[in-house]
Amino acid sequence: MASKQRRLAGRTGSYALLTLLAFIVGFPLYIIFAGSLMSLKEITSVPPSLFPMHPIWSTFRDAFVGGNLGQYLAVSFFQSGIIVVGQVLTSILAAFAFAYIQFPWKRTIFVAMLATSMIPFEVTVTANLQTVAALGWSETMQGLVVPFLATGFGIFLLRQAFLQIPKEMHEAAVIDGYSSWKFMWRVAVPLARPSIAALAVFSFLGAWNQYLWPLLETGSNKNIQTIQMGIRGVGGQVSTANVSLAAAAIAVAPLLILLVFFQKHLVRSLTAGAVK
Amino acid sequence: MKTNPLIKILASSALALTSMASVTLVHTTNAQAASSTCDPSLLAKATSKVNITFEESMAGGAVGGTGNKGKLAALIASYNASQNKVHVTDVNDTGGYTDTWTKYVASLSGSGSTPNVVMFAQEDTQAAADTQSVMPISTCLNADKKASVKTFVTKAINAYTIGSTQVGMPFSVSTPVMYYNKQAFAKSGIKSPPTTMAQLIADQKLLQNHGYKYGVALKKDPWITTTWMGLADLPVLNNGNGHTRRATAATFNNATSQAYWNSMQTIIKNGGLASSATGNITTAYANIFAISTDDAGITFDTTAALGSIQDALPLFKNVTLGVAPLPTLTGKSVGSTPPGGNGLFIPKANSNLETAAAWDFIKYLTSAATIAKWSTGTGYIPIRTDSAAAWKKALNATQFGWYNVAYTAFSKGKSDNATAGSVVGAYADIQGDLVTALNGLTQSPWPSASSLLATAQNAATAHILSYNSRL
């Protein structure tokens, strides 16, 4: 009886903590959406209003049309899409090599590759800018995406996923005459699908939220400016606080939709290996 | 199991790309054509239109294309239409001065996108000069017999001058002023805006007694303190506020600054609001919003906010806006208000022809007629005395009453190094030191103003010396 009570108390405590954490994560998002529907008077009221009494939907139109967010969103979808495809493909190939192919200095190269994930982007930004300029890609879409087509984190994540595939499966494939190429696409990749999906989501999040690189790389080319740059130009004045919030809500919406659809894969990938 | 050669090649390519993603080789870039002279006559000899870029940081409203960004774009369009020698492409940095500065510094590494004319905040003047990448405006002024800055407000020119060299051209000037709600004053029996800090404290009590919770809303903005120093004709840095020689120490800890900070602390202790000077719109303007919500009757903020305050006013029938000079310790000032705002700079990366075009564009933007237009409705105040008449004509009586407070504070009074504002490379660090001290000043356990200012001054001096040692 006592242990049952302890379990109940433990479970109640866990749920209380999770609820609190969910609130901490969700509240800022709620404020963005609620604030975007409020009048300026409601936004500035003390104590702050939590619910829009008379929702003003026109703020979204003002942000979208006035801020030309359609173009910024299109650029961001294109840029993020290419980065996701690039990172997933290069990560699969490199991770597979690290997991299944024997070659000299494999471990050293893997550690070196992993080390690239430890270097903050700000450290290499000047070198990247110079390289991109030397390639003649300044203020172009290539310059915006190519430096991000591969990621040490992605290779590490997928290598770990590939290593979890039972050895027996690999041996059976060899007996069946599968080449490495065939084994990778027909066996390893389908089995690592949750990790690949998680990598795709992380890649998209990273690409979508980039600010410094697009700021420096797009220069004067307004045609390749991304949504994060676009929303900074919306509102920016006391009288348009709700329009600024609407722009932020528009920018964050694709990420929320993505998370809803890929939530299962994300959780599965992150917990894979936690329980044997 | 055999490994397909294709997979080996692809795997190797993926690895190579990974290394590029994080650590790329540094390539030497082609030296850009650097401008060594400013020869305005080159433009007349140009056989085709010169295309130049202008990188600026003005914010814009999404609604109806209003905002300073839209107004500046209109001026650029007007310049392009007015002549056939130069075409200016506007590059707006939505993230403000910081983004423009970040982009500019990055472009110096050879990424190939250095603008032909660039807008920097006044406080970046020393740092811009230290990059040795901008052509001093003095060079163009000396070379152009027709150009003169005689009708500019002297302080505006001094703000961008180091030694005898004018580094940048002033364009927009704003200053902090006192905003108050006339309806709150009437309700609380306050006859006129306070002119001394003691009156401000007394008026806070009156406002609080009549339902205005905070009475006074203060913004923890170091700019207010440095403005008070200017009004007292006291430099915040040594070596003529950095204008005569490179500054080597901060000097803002003195009896005057301590008296102001003591007053501020009293206001907050008495229940006043101490709002942040940074953050998003709702936090950075919390002091102004406190007026709109009838929580405060008085606040201090920049005139640059006047345009958007004016836009928002119709929503708040409870507010009748009043604008007055900042209160001082004695009600008088022996100095005057230093200018804030931004100026225009010409990168040396330009070719000589681009420099000539850039100079022509700068002359247009800072002409008397353009400055009069620019100052109308933006919240910035005229930097030229010969713009003031046209500017006044374009405003209605109420608007003129508001803007003229700042213009008078800026254009009248003593003009020397202390009132020209400081020039220092470690500006952002010094601001940070003052913000830390202001945060301490406005909360329990209420450390003394003198100890906080002393700590901030020491930290600021250390930052200045550290910056100087890295040059």
Side-chain angles (χ1 to χ4, degrees):
Chain A
M1 190 66 189
S3 77
K4 199 176 175 184
Q5 273 178 342
R6 265 205 304 275
R7 266 207 308 275
L8 187 68
R11 188 172 290 181
T12 309
S14 298
Y15 278 113
L17 184 67
L18 287 172
T19 307
L20 179 70
L21 290 175
F23 180 77
I24 290 170
V25 172
F27 190 69
L29 290 171
Y30 170 75
I31 287 297
I32 290 175
F33 284 99
S36 62
L37 297 174
M38 288 181 195
S39 67
L40 189 59
K41 210 162 188 175
E42 283 177 300
I43 289 177
T44 59
S45 63
V46 180
S49 300
L50 291 178
F51 306 99
M53 297 311 286
H54 307 285
I56 307 170
W57 295 98
S58 61
T59 52
F60 284 87
R61 188 193 59 220
D62 289 339
F64 196 84
V65 178
N68 196 23
L69 295 190
Q71 190 199 315
Y72 293 118
L73 281 170
V75 170
S76 274
F77 272 117
F78 186 70
Q79 171 235 12
S80 303
I82 293 192
I83 288 175
V84 168
V85 172
Q87 289 196 356
V88 167
L89 277 179
T90 55
S91 296
I92 287 174
L93 291 167
F96 187 83
F98 281 122
Y100 290 102
I101 300 173
Q102 294 306 319
F103 53 90
W105 302 97
K106 183 173 153 181
R107 194 174 164 76
T108 311
I109 296 172
F110 179 68
V111 171
M113 181 277 306
L114 203 57
T116 62
S117 310
M118 319 281 179
I119 302 170
F121 178 70
E122 287 76 6
V123 174
T124 57
V125 75
T126 305
N128 275 323
L129 270 176
Q130 289 180 336
T131 305
V132 164
L135 292 168
W137 290 347
S138 290
E139 304 186 17
T140 64
M141 186 53 85
Q142 301 98 286
L144 202 57
V145 300
V146 169
F148 301 96
L149 291 185
T151 157
F153 165 74
I155 295 170
F156 174 74
L157 187 77
L158 295 194
R159 175 186 174 266
Q160 299 309 106
F162 289 150
L163 287 177
Q164 283 183 12
I165 297 170
K167 268 184 184 172
E168 293 76 11
M169 215 172 255
H170 189 209
E171 286 160 7
V174 172
I175 291 165
D176 284 349
Y178 267 38
S179 65
S180 290
W181 182 255
K182 232 176 184 179
F183 175 73
M184 180 174 77
W185 289 116
R186 296 210 178 159
V187 181
V189 167
L191 286 172
R193 226 170 31 208
S195 295
I196 293 170
L199 173 62
V201 174
F202 286 131
S203 298
F204 192 87
L205 281 172
W208 189 265
N209 287 329
Q210 278 183 2
Y211 185 76
L212 182 62
W213 182 253
L215 170 73
L216 301 177
E217 173 50 29
T218 56
S220 57
N221 188 352
K222 290 177 188 170
N223 295 327
I224 55 167
Q225 289 188 339
T226 60
I227 185 68
Q228 303 302 339
M229 298 173 76
I231 59 171
R232 287 207 69 168
V234 177
Q237 299 184 27
V238 178
S239 53
T240 51
N242 47 5
V243 181
S244 298
L245 287 168
I250 291 169
V252 85
L255 298 183
L256 292 178
I257 294 167
L258 193 77
L259 286 172
V260 167
F261 279 106
F262 283 85
Q263 185 196 21
K264 201 186 283 178
H265 288 303
L266 271 178
V267 174
R268 202 185 297 168
S269 154
L270 294 173
T271 56
V275 183
K276 291 272 178 189
Chain B
M1 178 164 59
K2 282 183 183 174
T3 303
N4 189 328
L6 179 66
I7 198 169
K8 281 188 176 171
I9 294 167
L10 289 172
S12 319
S13 307
L15 281 171
L17 206 52
T18 310
S19 60
M20 184 198 173
S22 286
V23 189
T24 27
L25 295 171
V26 178
H27 293 259
T28 24
T29 50
N30 295 330
Q32 290 171 306
S35 178
S36 53
T37 59
C38 182
D39 182 358
S41 68
L42 286 178
L43 200 55
K45 295 172 199 159
T47 50
S48 58
K49 205 170 233 189
V50 186
N51 290 302
I52 60 170
T53 53
F54 172 37
E55 187 132 14
E56 43 87 9
S57 334
M58 291 293 96
V63 186
T66 56
N68 296 350
K69 179 171 124 184
K71 291 185 176 89
L72 184 54
L75 291 181
I76 295 167
S78 160
Y79 172 73
N80 285 338
S82 70
Q83 42 75 50
N84 56 10
K85 287 283 180 187
V86 183
H87 182 269
V88 178
T89 302
D90 179 19
V91 182
N92 176 259
D93 294 324
T94 53
Y97 297 133
T98 313
D99 276 6
T100 303
W101 178 255
T102 307
K103 274 177 84 173
Y104 181 73
V105 172
S107 78
L108 296 180
S109 70
S111 65
S113 55
T114 310
N116 302 108
V117 180
V118 61
M119 174 188 282
F120 291 140
Q122 185 274 331
E123 53 262 28
D124 288 330
T125 302
Q126 179 69 62
D130 288 339
T131 64
Q132 299 183 21
S133 67
V134 291
M135 170 171 288
I137 290 294
S138 303
T139 311
C140 291
L141 280 168
N142 293 336
D144 191 342
K145 300 282 176 269
K146 291 177 191 163
S148 166
V149 290
K150 277 182 188 159
T151 52
F152 281 60
V153 176
T154 311
K155 258 190 292 182
I157 298 298
N158 290 349
Y160 293 87
T161 302
I162 302 170
S164 57
T165 305
Q166 187 183 333
V167 182
M169 186 65 127
F171 177 51
S172 314
V173 162
S174 54
T175 63
V177 288
M178 177 162 66
Y179 291 112
Y180 64 96
N181 181 359
K182 289 181 178 174
Q183 292 182 41
F185 274 30
K187 202 171 150 188
S188 308
I190 303 169
K191 298 253 167 15
S192 60
T195 56
T196 66
M197 294 304 282
Q199 278 174 11
L200 180 67
I201 293 167
D203 288 347
Q204 180 190 23
K205 285 200 174 133
L206 287 172
L207 287 162
Q208 286 173 326
N209 291 342
H210 289 82
Y212 296 88
K213 189 169 73 174
Y214 306 124
V216 174
L218 293 178
K219 196 172 191 171
K220 292 178 282 186
D221 189 343
W223 191 19
I224 309 286
T225 301
T226 53
T227 300
W228 273 326
M229 293 297 95
L231 287 166
D233 201 25
L234 293 169
V236 295
L237 304 171
N238 68 352
N239 295 337
N241 236 356
H243 288 284
T244 52
R245 271 186 302 129
R246 185 179 292 283
T248 54
T251 59
F252 51 72
N253 178 23
N254 49 53
T256 304
S257 57
Q258 288 169 17
Y260 277 112
W261 279 36
N262 281 330
S263 300
M264 284 170 69
Q265 195 172 57
T266 303
I267 288 167
I268 304 306
K269 272 183 177 174
N270 290 347
L273 174 71
S275 73
S276 169
T278 54
N280 61 29
I281 294 167
T282 45
T283 50
Y285 290 112
N287 58 325
I288 290 177
F289 291 144
I291 302 266
S292 68
T293 54
D294 277 344
D295 290 301
I298 301 172
T299 192
F300 308 147
D301 216 309
T302 172
T303 50
L306 250 175
S308 47
I309 289 174
Q310 197 180 318
D311 289 345
L313 266 181
L315 297 172
F316 300 98
K317 303 291 177 211
N318 56 321
V319 178
T320 306
L321 183 69
V323 181
L326 290 184
T328 59
L329 292 173
T330 60
K332 290 176 185 166
S333 56
V334 291
S336 62
T337 307
N342 61 61
L344 308 171
F345 295 74
I346 303 177
K348 282 182 184 168
N350 289 347
S351 67
N352 288 338
L353 189 56
E354 285 168 339
T355 295
W359 175 240
D360 190 69
F361 176 57
I362 287 177
K363 279 198 297 182
Y364 167 81
L365 274 189
T366 56
S367 66
T370 311
I371 289 295
K373 272 189 207 166
W374 176 236
S375 307
T376 308
T378 57
Y380 292 116
I381 47 182
I383 53 169
R384 298 178 63 130
T385 51
D386 52 356
S387 299
W391 168 68
K392 182 179 175 181
K393 208 173 166 186
L395 298 170
N396 64 38
T398 310
Q399 289 171 325
F400 182 71
W402 297 336
Y403 290 101
N404 195 41
V405 168
Y407 181 66
T408 306
F410 166 63
S411 60
K412 310 277 186 226
K414 202 179 244 180
S415 194
D416 56 19
N417 285 331
T419 61
S422 60
V423 278
V424 62
Y427 182 86
D429 292 322
I430 298 170
Q431 293 291 293
D433 297 329
L434 279 165
V435 167
T436 304
L438 282 166
N439 284 335
L441 183 80
T442 50
Q443 63 192 15
S444 179
W446 310 109
S448 72
S450 58
S451 69
L452 287 165
L453 277 161
T455 306
Q457 181 168 290
N458 289 339
T461 298
H463 277 127
I464 293 168
L465 294 175
S466 166
Y467 176 91
N468 292 350
S469 72
R470 283 180 272 119
L471 290 172

